[in-house]
Amino acid sequence: MIKPRLTEEQRRALDQSHGLLEVDEDGRKYVLMSMEVYRDMMGVGTDAELSASLKAIQEGLADIDAGRTRPFRDVLAELENE
């Protein structure tokens, strides 16, 4: 697994922006956040919850890559009919 390292500039920018940073690099946009911000945002307190959260995100991205998706409006319509 790749273990990228933050630059000092990125570290300073994260500190100055309370742990959440949007980066626009030649039209490609990224979000960089501290672990504390991620845990607060996702409501994951324990390491086990963090691991499960990251695994679920990876599985969701794999589903998108494999075309296993449905339009959101279809899901909403189905939920409204229940």
Side-chain angles (χ1 to χ4, degrees), residues 38-58:
Y38 179 83
R39 283 182 185 257
D40 286 346
M41 183 178 74
M42 298 299 288
V44 293
T46 67
D47 289 343
E49 290 171 331
L50 174 64
S51 179
S53 174
L54 294 174
K55 182 180 178 195
I57 290 170
Q58 290 169 339

Side-chain angles (χ1 to χ4, degrees), residues 14-67:
L14 279 167
D15 288 343
Q16 293 172 2
S17 64
H18 306 288
L20 184 61
L21 184 62
E22 180 181 342
V23 178
D24 187 340
E25 189 173 85
D26 299 325
R28 293 189 69 178
K29 295 190 177 197
Y30 304 89
V31 172
L32 185 61
M33 70 179 74
S34 69
M35 183 60 72
E36 292 81 14
V37 169
Y38 179 83
R39 283 182 185 257
D40 286 346
M41 183 178 74
M42 298 299 288
V44 293
T46 67
D47 289 343
E49 290 171 331
L50 174 64
S51 179
S53 174
L54 294 174
K55 182 180 178 195
I57 290 170
Q58 290 169 339
E59 289 172 355
L61 292 171
D63 284 342
I64 291 168
D65 288 343

